């Protein structure tokens, strides 16, 4: 099955620890994105990558880091510098070159920092 | 800055009625719009899209209307069903921008 996967579904960490969220896609999409979603709110863009080995900051990049060493993978690290990291994190991918910029989302990772 | 917002945070309808979910955007340069549906605990899913050279687009039980003059789009769901209960987001983007901006979402509740 083609799709986008995120793991784990639930993640608990102690305050002050860095944590890395996994995102993998086998859709052969060029672009990948990370969003943060807080209760009752929309999606806020953290980082995005339009091509391998390149990525840009989104609207709320502070306290986060990413890498895009492979086309199919776009891991997100939540660092200890992120002041309020508890949230639902969504990864997405798209293929803008097709002219249709629909984003395909993973199931999300709910991060709780204790 | 650009923003995409929704007029109402919640909408409750009776099963079988039609639903209308509204969205306002502020960036007149936006030329592509998408509606997504997000069920509880899941990632959003594409419903329908529309480009700025169109006023209306229809899918299966859904219609999106775009009014560029007032920077407004709406999602109409015909014969709403319990399975339509979810949060609906509009998103806007510009060609070659490489990213989309999402609104805050409207929670649709369908009463049996």
């Amino acid at each position: 099955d083609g799709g986008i996967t995120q793991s784990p579904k639930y993640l608990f960490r102690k305050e002050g620890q860095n944590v890395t969220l996994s995102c993998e896609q086998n859709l052969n999409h060029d672009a990948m994105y990370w969003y943060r979603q807080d209760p009752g709110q929309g999606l806020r863009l953290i980082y995005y990558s339009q091509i391998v080995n390149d990525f840009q900051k989104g609207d709320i990049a502070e306290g986060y880091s990413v890498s895009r060493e492979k086309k199919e993978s776009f891991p997100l690290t939540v660092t200890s510098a992120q002041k309020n990291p508890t949230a639902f994190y969504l990864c997405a991918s798209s293929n803008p070159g097709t002219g249709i910029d629909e984003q395909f989302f993973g199931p999300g990772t709910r991060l709780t920092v204790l | 800055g650009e923003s995409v917002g929704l007029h109402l945070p919640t909408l409750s309808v009776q099963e079988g009625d039609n639903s209308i979910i509204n969205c306002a955007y502020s960036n007149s340069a936006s030329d592509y719009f998408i509606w997504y549906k997000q069920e509880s605990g899941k990632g959003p899913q594409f419903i329908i899209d529309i480009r700025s050279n169109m006023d209306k687009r229809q899918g299966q039980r859904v219609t999106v209307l775009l009014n560029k003059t007032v920077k407004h789009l709406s999602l109409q769901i015909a014969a709403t069903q319990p399975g339509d209960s979810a949060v609906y987001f509009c998103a806007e983007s510009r060609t070659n921008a490489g990213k989309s901006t999402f609104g805050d979402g409207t929670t649709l509740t369908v009463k049996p």
Side-chain angles (χ1 to χ4, degrees), chain A residues 9 33 35 37 40-43 45 48 50 59 88 90 99-103 105-108 110, chain B residues 32 34 36 38 41-46 49 51 89 93 96-105:
Chain A
K9 189 169 180 64
Y33 313 82
Y35 295 91
Q37 186 175 31
Q41 296 190 29
L43 281 64
L45 184 64
Y48 62 107
Q50 294 180 282
D59 301 318
F88 188 49
L90 286 159
I100 300 173
D101 203 17
E102 170 191 355
Q103 293 187 19
F105 285 83
R110 191 167 298 279
Chain B
Y32 183 59
I34 299 179
Y36 291 89
Q38 185 180 26
K42 298 182 179 179
Q45 288 184 300
F46 172 92
D49 61 353
R51 294 204 172 275
F89 294 98
S93 64
N96 297 324
K99 61 177 181 175
S100 297
T101 300
F102 285 77
D104 290 334

Side-chain angles (χ1 to χ4, degrees), chain B residues 6-25:
Chain B
L6 294 164
H7 291 320
L8 293 173
T10 61
L11 177 65
S12 182
V13 300
Q14 206 69 36
E15 182 178 358
D17 288 350
N18 296 335
S19 302
I20 299 176
I21 300 172
N22 296 306
C23 180
Y25 63 96

Side-chain angles (χ1 to χ4, degrees), chain A residues 74-87:
Chain A
F74 191 39
L76 172 74
T77 296
V78 185
T79 75
S80 57
Q82 168 50 235
K83 295 178 182 178
N84 186 19
T86 295

Side-chain angles (χ1 to χ4, degrees), chain B residues 65-80:
Chain B
L65 300 176
L66 176 63
N67 185 329
K68 296 178 287 295
T69 302
V70 295
K71 294 196 284 288
H72 177 272
L73 70 158
S74 66
L75 176 71
Q76 300 178 2
I77 304 173
T80 313

Side-chain angles (χ1 to χ4, degrees), chain B residues 21-95:
Chain B
I21 300 172
N22 296 306
C23 180
Y25 63 96
S26 61
N27 192 335
S28 57
S30 298
D31 59 5
Y32 183 59
F33 305 88
I34 299 179
W35 281 99
Y36 291 89
K37 172 186 180 182
Q38 185 180 26
E39 297 177 346
S40 181
K42 298 182 179 179
Q45 288 184 300
F46 172 92
I47 301 173
I48 191 168
D49 61 353
I50 188 168
R51 294 204 172 275
S52 58
N53 60 353
M54 302 174 68
D55 297 322
K56 178 180 179 179
R57 189 155 191 234
Q58 287 184 293
Q60 187 176 11
R61 281 202 306 119
V62 294
T63 300
V64 55
L65 300 176
L66 176 63
N67 185 329
K68 296 178 287 295
T69 302
V70 295
K71 294 196 284 288
H72 177 272
L73 70 158
S74 66
L75 176 71
Q76 300 178 2
I77 304 173
T80 313
Q81 302 169 359
D84 294 327
S85 294
V87 179
Y88 290 82
F89 294 98
C90 62
E92 62 88 14
S93 64
R94 303 183 305 282
T95 301

